[in-house]
Amino acid sequence: MGTDLHAPLGQNRKPTGKKPGILRLGRIAASGCLILIGGFSIYTAFRDDDLKEAKPSLQQQTTAPPSETQQPAPSSSVAAGMPRSDPQSGANVEQMVAGDGSVVTKYSPKARDGNGPVLVDAMQFGQDSRMAAIPNDALLEDTPNGRLPVVGPDGRRPMDQYARPWSGARGTRIAIVVSGLGLSQTGTQRAIQQLPEEITFAFAASGNSLQRWMQDARRGGHEILLQVPFEPFDYPANDPGPDTLLTSKPVAQNIESLHRVMGEITNYTGIMNYQGARFLSNPDAIEPVMRDISKRGLLFLDDGTSAQSKTSVIARGTGLPYAFADVQLDRQLDVNAILQKLDELERVAKRNGQAIGVASAFDESIDAISKWTEEAAMRGIEIVGVAALTNDPRKP
């Protein structure tokens, strides 16, 4: 048959002209680019004067000598361009006591002193938990007895800086202070690990590793106090320890002992007595001590163990923020007995609006307080730091 179906494949075809493929054109273009880049590189290697950054002249490099009338470096607040101000500097604050005993605070705007913007320092009260173990250097002074707390240049007190923040609500508020930390390593560690952050810790000045324990407690969110040893009625048979403040000592020696104790740690809101029934009942002995504590911006907590204590009277006369414990929680070392005391503390708080309980860092106390605080919030109770419940002349 004469059709192409029977012709062998690939034969009797007309030759066709070949066209350059796309790949071949791409190779040519890439080769051209490489030639251009190489040529430019060679050019810049020998002619790079125009591409170099101009060097400053010798006259520009020479630093001008300081002027004889050169002014001192400005302070940080001036350098920032704005003066600092406290959060309430633009408000009139009025507080009134209602018929039910609650305090009503009224805020109204007022003009700030000066013109222009100000930098509002929002960390007036409390401390960021991430920085809670680090002291504020502006609230410390270096002395032969160590770094002691002082009121800052802006009027800020250590009591305000290191206080535990709270809601501000005027509900039922309770502060629980666990004291004697530092005396027992295992007891201190157990208290820090097991008790909720709302519990206030009081460190005994005669304890061990106080700075380390303080840092652990502050990182855990706890407000802390420092326990100062005061003379009990049965001294010296019952000796609270080194640097005990005594009624028989001159005032200067007692103040020196107080300062040595204060220098043991930092970051505390105030002082709590360690024993001291005789000393706290003697107005002549306690008055200069309270005055020194007050001028340093601290509070004082009386543990309530002495019925003859004069702390409230002396504190009011010296302008010292103070508080008085309502219930001793662990006079009987039994978990059930301590739970009953905590229930008594709650009744006092509901009657008065607030209450303070104190205990020692015993295992039974830690177990009972841990259990009781788990259910306190469900009954409308707010556990606060002791600084929130002080009688403070600045906050009538």
Side-chain angles (χ1 to χ4, degrees):
M1 299 179 67
T3 64
D4 291 339
L5 293 175
H6 300 282
L9 293 174
Q11 296 183 8
N12 300 324
R13 292 184 180 179
K14 296 180 179 181
T16 58
K18 294 183 178 180
K19 297 181 179 181
I22 296 177
L23 292 177
R24 186 178 179 186
L25 292 176
R27 290 173 183 171
I28 296 173
S31 300
C33 291
L34 290 174
I35 293 171
L36 289 175
I37 294 172
F40 182 74
S41 300
I42 295 172
Y43 172 79
T44 56
F46 293 96
R47 295 290 304 275
D48 59 345
D49 294 341
D50 295 336
L51 299 178
K52 289 183 178 179
E53 183 179 354
K55 294 183 180 180
S57 63
L58 181 62
Q59 184 178 1
Q60 291 176 323
Q61 291 181 7
T62 305
T63 303
S67 172
E68 294 181 0
T69 60
Q70 185 176 3
Q71 299 296 324
S75 63
S76 59
S77 59
V78 176
M82 285 184 266
R84 290 183 178 271
S85 178
D86 69 84
Q88 295 183 359
S89 62
N92 291 307
V93 183
E94 303 175 60
Q95 290 187 322
M96 299 170 289
V97 180
D100 60 355
S102 61
V103 178
V104 179
T105 304
K106 177 183 176 182
Y107 296 90
S108 59
K110 74 172 182 180
R112 286 192 173 96
D113 297 333
N115 298 319
V118 296
L119 182 62
V120 175
D121 189 352
M123 285 301 296
Q124 183 72 17
F125 303 102
Q127 191 176 30
D128 191 318
S129 59
R130 295 168 296 181
M131 304 290 291
I134 303 174
N136 184 342
D137 290 335
L139 306 183
L140 291 170
E141 66 171 348
D142 293 322
T143 74
N145 297 308
R147 307 184 76 190
L148 303 186
V150 293
V151 177
D154 58 354
R156 184 183 313 187
R157 302 174 296 181
M159 167 186 168
D160 299 322
Q161 174 75 75
Y162 305 124
R164 175 175 171 78
W166 61 290
S167 70
R170 295 292 172 176
T172 303
R173 295 171 297 157
I174 288 178
I176 299 176
V177 181
V178 175
S179 64
L181 271 74
L183 296 176
S184 166
Q185 298 290 297
T186 55
T188 301
Q189 185 176 29
R190 192 163 184 261
I192 293 174
Q193 290 179 346
Q194 295 188 19
L195 289 174
E197 59 186 309
E198 296 84 1
I199 303 301
T200 300
F201 289 154
F203 288 87
S206 58
N208 300 309
S209 307
L210 293 185
Q211 191 69 14
R212 175 170 66 90
W213 293 126
M214 177 279 291
Q215 292 174 346
D216 289 347
R218 291 291 293 159
R219 291 190 191 100
H222 298 274
E223 183 178 319
I224 65 172
L225 301 171
L226 178 64
Q227 285 185 281
V228 173
F230 293 100
E231 179 185 3
F233 278 116
D234 53 352
Y235 181 87
N238 180 12
D239 189 348
D243 290 316
T244 296
L245 277 63
L246 303 174
T247 56
S248 59
K249 282 183 179 181
V251 171
Q253 289 187 22
N254 278 328
I255 297 298
E256 184 73 11
S257 296
L258 174 67
H259 289 174
R260 279 197 294 269
V261 171
M262 283 183 170
E264 291 290 335
I265 57 173
T266 58
N267 296 48
Y268 49 90
T269 58
I271 301 298
M272 178 180 176
N273 63 295
Y274 183 69
Q275 300 189 38
R278 174 179 287 170
F279 195 94
L280 299 182
S281 66
N282 188 318
D284 294 333
I286 196 176
E287 190 272 340
V289 173
M290 293 289 188
R291 196 171 296 279
D292 187 86
I293 296 172
S294 177
K295 78 175 184 179
R296 295 185 177 278
L298 302 171
L299 64 87
F300 186 85
L301 174 64
D302 190 317
D303 67 2
T305 55
S306 174
Q308 302 179 42
S309 175
K310 306 295 184 185
T311 55
S312 60
V313 176
I314 301 299
R316 285 194 295 267
T318 57
L320 171 67
Y322 73 97
F324 204 91
D326 298 285
V327 180
Q328 287 73 49
L329 300 172
D330 55 0
R331 284 183 171 174
Q332 183 179 350
L333 276 181
D334 176 77
V335 172
N336 291 327
I338 296 170
L339 288 172
Q340 292 177 4
K341 283 292 184 180
L342 286 164
D343 291 339
E344 178 184 339
L345 182 68
E346 180 178 344
R347 290 191 292 270
V348 173
K350 288 184 175 180
R351 182 171 64 249
N352 300 332
Q354 65 181 51
I356 299 174
V358 296
S360 297
F362 298 123
D363 290 345
E364 296 84 352
S365 304
I366 294 171
D367 291 340
I369 293 171
S370 298
K371 181 178 180 180
W372 186 85
T373 53
E374 289 177 357
E375 303 175 354
M378 295 168 38
R379 299 193 297 273
I381 298 170
E382 182 177 8
I383 309 296
V384 298
V386 73
L389 303 185
T390 56
N391 296 283
D392 187 356
R394 285 197 185 182
K395 304 172 186 177

